[in-house]
Amino acid sequence: MWNSEAPLKLLSEMPAQLNIENLKEIQQIIDVDKYENSHRLGRDLCGEYAPFCALCEKHVKYPCAVAYVKMKQAEGMELEIAATEEELSVEEENVAETPKKYIRIAIARRK
């Protein structure tokens, strides 16, 4: 189902120590293929798209790319993620608490 050739080709052109930009590129390749397959099947394939989904940690910035690299490391490919923890952590957005909106429903009274 998933295109294993595209990320592998991209990975083969990258250095053995992957920085945050490398992970971003891998994530984009995977996202495009995952989106196309999700659209074709009519459901979100997150978590079941590819073999590396079992290694996914959703709290990192590029979860598919990191999981893919971990899978390749387990298969014996000599790779290292050189990105720092700060670069990989998902930044919490400074979203102000939105006020709750109340809908007032009017009831018609008979006279």
Side-chain angles (χ1 to χ4, degrees):
M1 172 170 54
W2 78 288
N3 179 5
S4 61
E5 296 300 317
L8 184 59
K9 181 180 177 191
L10 181 63
L11 194 59
S12 67
E13 298 169 359
M14 292 183 172
Q17 290 192 338
L18 303 171
N19 61 28
I20 197 72
E21 289 302 316
N22 299 135
L23 292 173
K24 181 179 179 180
E25 289 179 49
I26 295 168
Q27 182 74 36
Q28 288 172 341
I29 293 290
I30 293 171
D31 280 346
V32 168
D33 190 52
K34 184 170 55 168
Y35 174 80
E36 289 171 355
N37 283 303
S38 293
H39 185 68
R40 186 173 50 83
L41 294 175
R43 61 188 170 96
D44 186 7
L45 294 177
C46 186
E48 58 183 279
Y49 160 71
F52 57 84
C53 289
L55 303 170
C56 184
E57 298 175 22
K58 294 196 186 295
H59 67 275
V60 296
K61 198 171 213 172
Y62 302 114
C64 297
V66 171
Y68 180 73
V69 170
K70 286 181 180 180
M71 180 184 80
K72 288 301 181 185
Q73 288 171 329
E75 291 175 355
M77 189 176 263
E78 293 187 27
L79 294 170
E80 183 181 333
I81 297 176
T84 64
E85 290 291 325
E86 292 81 30
E87 290 176 317
L88 286 175
S89 66
V90 177
E91 298 174 14
E92 293 194 23
E93 297 178 20
N94 294 330
V95 179
E97 187 175 321
T98 56
K100 294 180 181 178
K101 294 181 180 180
Y102 295 97
I103 299 173
R104 185 173 171 191
I105 299 174
I107 300 173
R109 294 187 181 164
R110 289 187 177 176
K111 290 187 177 185

